[in-house]
Amino acid sequence: MTPPSRPATVLLTDYAWPDDSVERSVIESAGHTLVSGPAEPSSAATVEALVAEHRPAGILTCWAPVSATAVGASPDLRIVARLGVGLDNIAVDTATERGVWVTNVPDYCVEEVSDHAVGMVLAWTRGLAVFDREVRTGRWDPAGARLRRLSALTCGVVGFGRIGRATARKLGAFGCRILAHDPHPPKEAPGVESVGLEELLRRSDVVILHVPLTPGTHHLIGADRLALMKPGGLLVNVSRGGLVDTDAVIKALDGGHLAGAAFDVLESEPHVPAALLDQPGALLTPHVAFSSDASVTELRRRAAEEVVRILAGEAPAHPCNDPGLRPAQSADRR
């Protein structure tokens, strides 16, 4: 990379791994200074105070909120780089308005998230989590098994981007029928039938969410759409917790309309509602679908490299806005 014209400060707001060594190596090797906030995501106010104190030229953020106030708190700010894919924790419009780049790493965990979704489907069809719990409590009851043949099921994938296509490909290898819904359906998707959302919900035994959280997708799956799903079906969410009305899912599980809900993300995370924990049909993991040794290292390195590019006057590899345009005109380029 081209050396920067002058050293700059970069703020790492938070991180979901043991240390900041990868980010620090990339940033400091380019001649800049890395300032790290607490590992756990801080409040918007804390991030705003950190930005005001250190006046960074670059911000690296994992889950902590980078508000409009934070974006405006450093006159030197040139980039906010997301250590992830989704942008719902960043004030993108404000950044665009102020000439600040917003970037992400859109393809670092395609295999991991799709593997996680498929793993949750397999755990449900084969009863893996349920039987593990029973055996550990001393119950050995093979006659009580009520299992499903995956190849006989219809799986609906909501959101057919990189991860959705990978999930469809992997599930297709098991022989199940694949339906997909996306506002921009692909021109060619062999073995996949593109349908509307309501049709997908009505026809699918398994519904998997692979869509970003935006104002338009908040509570995409609520009571009305859950009612459209086949009785005894499974809902899988490995995207963002806010896509699903958790209370409505609990009621659907309680009433028996849903047989299973497999969630890696929750709107209330890290808090898990007690009523959800009490559901035997709930399979829960702590927002780790993105994670593997390889994916996390790649994410950290590539996000930090985006910051170095911008500070060196180069173009970003994965821009999510265009600071030369007004917010209403800027495109989500994920």
Side-chain angles (χ1 to χ4, degrees), residues 125-289:
T125 58
R126 304 309 306 155
L128 301 182
V130 172
F131 290 132
D132 177 73
R133 294 170 197 156
E134 289 186 355
V135 170
R136 288 174 185 277
T137 60
R139 184 179 181 188
W140 190 274
D141 182 25
R146 298 292 183 270
L147 303 178
R148 302 159 182 84
R149 177 178 288 178
L150 180 53
S151 63
L153 302 182
T154 296
C155 295
V157 179
V158 183
F160 210 62
R162 295 177 181 88
I163 299 174
R165 292 194 297 271
T167 297
R169 169 173 52 81
K170 292 169 185 179
L171 285 171
F174 286 96
C176 32
R177 174 176 293 180
I178 306 296
L179 307 179
H181 170 73
D182 195 277
H184 307 288
K187 293 180 181 178
E188 293 185 14
V192 177
E193 183 182 354
S194 292
V195 297
L197 178 57
E198 292 190 354
E199 182 179 349
L200 181 147
L201 294 171
R202 290 191 182 99
R203 292 174 56 188
S204 298
D205 301 288
V206 174
V207 174
I208 303 169
L209 304 181
H210 284 310
V211 296
L213 179 61
T214 68
T217 61
H218 181 256
H219 284 188
L220 179 71
I221 304 298
D224 290 346
R225 284 179 170 149
L226 286 169
L228 296 176
M229 289 180 62
K230 285 185 178 183
L234 169 70
L235 176 66
V236 178
N237 186 11
V238 290
S239 294
R240 284 291 185 272
L243 297 173
V244 174
D245 182 341
T246 306
D247 289 340
V249 168
I250 292 169
K251 289 178 182 177
L253 289 167
D254 259 338
H257 182 68
L258 270 186
F263 292 164
D264 181 57
V265 288
L266 292 170
E267 191 168 24
S268 59
E269 64 182 62
H271 171 71
V272 184
L276 185 60
L277 289 172
D278 288 341
Q279 296 295 328
L283 176 62
L284 307 171
T285 56
H287 204 145
V288 293

Side-chain angles (χ1 to χ4, degrees), residues 108-109 112-113 287-293 295-296:
Y108 79 98
C109 61
E112 284 80 5
V113 176
H287 204 145
V288 293
F290 71 92
S291 184
S292 73
D293 291 348
S295 68
V296 170

Side-chain angles (χ1 to χ4, degrees), residues 12 14-24 34 36-37 39 296 300:
L12 174 62
D14 63 305
Y15 46 97
W17 27 87
D19 57 48
D20 63 3
S21 59
V22 174
E23 297 85 352
R24 186 169 298 279
L34 181 73
S36 294
V296 170
R300 298 167 65 185

